[in-house]
Amino acid sequence: MARYRQIIDMVNEAGMQPMLTLFHHSAPAWLAGQGGWTDPSAAIPAFYAFAEGVIDALIPCGASGAAKNVGPSAKLHSIVPFNEPHVFNLLTYCGGVWPSTAENTNRPPSPPTCLSEWGLYGVAMKTMAEAHGAVYDKIRATEVRYRCMMMLTAFITAA
């Protein structure tokens, strides 16, 4: 975590507001082997444990607010548990192209039912939403207040 603290400091020193993203289209192979985001009983506790470790390491205990600027976490602007989960789930569970593992390489695309609420995409989106809620509660339980959001799309525009 020392490297991430250093990055947070560098971003602040450059006059920008750092945003921490916890999930950006990667997951451990062992979780994929258990069904990944289509298995809430495996994915939610695993993601929560990961997020809890990151949050506890970057948010100083006892900080009474961002105004005190105590430790690196008080320098964070926002925390995003998931970046574009729909893209990851569509390509992973419907398209069969992500992640690029041996089991996905030869898997044909899923039928249109994948996009239904009971299909793999819908189940994975619901699981991520539940995991987001759990992590949101963890973030809000800290004494330092952050913006917490799920990024569905990201647009950068020039002024």
Side-chain angles (χ1 to χ4, degrees):
M1 289 296 156
R3 177 66 177 145
Y4 293 104
R5 288 186 197 102
Q6 182 183 29
I7 292 168
I8 291 167
D9 287 339
M10 290 178 356
V11 170
N12 276 290
E13 288 167 10
M16 296 181 282
Q17 297 177 321
M19 176 177 71
L20 174 68
T21 301
L22 297 172
F23 178 86
H24 193 270
H25 304 176
S26 61
W30 61 263
L31 182 59
Q34 294 179 2
W37 291 103
T38 62
D39 182 357
S41 66
I44 294 172
F47 184 69
Y48 184 86
F50 163 74
E52 182 177 45
V54 171
I55 291 165
D56 288 347
L58 294 179
I59 295 178
C61 296
S64 62
K68 278 192 163 184
N69 204 26
V70 178
S73 64
K75 299 174 187 176
L76 284 173
H77 179 261
S78 17
I79 298 172
V80 179
F82 294 94
N83 181 64
E84 300 181 326
H86 62 293
V87 173
F88 175 83
N89 289 328
L90 183 65
L91 291 174
T92 301
Y93 299 111
C94 295
V97 295
W98 218 354
S100 57
T101 61
E103 70 182 57
N104 273 351
T105 304
N106 298 316
R107 189 173 78 180
S110 299
T113 55
C114 176
L115 294 173
S116 69
E117 68 180 88
W118 62 86
L120 294 178
Y121 174 86
V123 171
M125 287 298 290
K126 183 176 187 287
T127 302
M128 284 184 164
E130 290 175 20
H132 180 274
V135 170
Y136 177 88
D137 291 342
K138 168 66 179 171
I139 293 166
R140 288 297 180 194
T142 66
E143 293 184 27
V144 180
R145 298 294 178 216
Y146 292 97
R147 293 174 52 188
C148 179
M149 61 195 97
M150 184 178 286
M151 298 296 286
L152 294 180
T153 55
F155 295 98
I156 299 175
T157 59

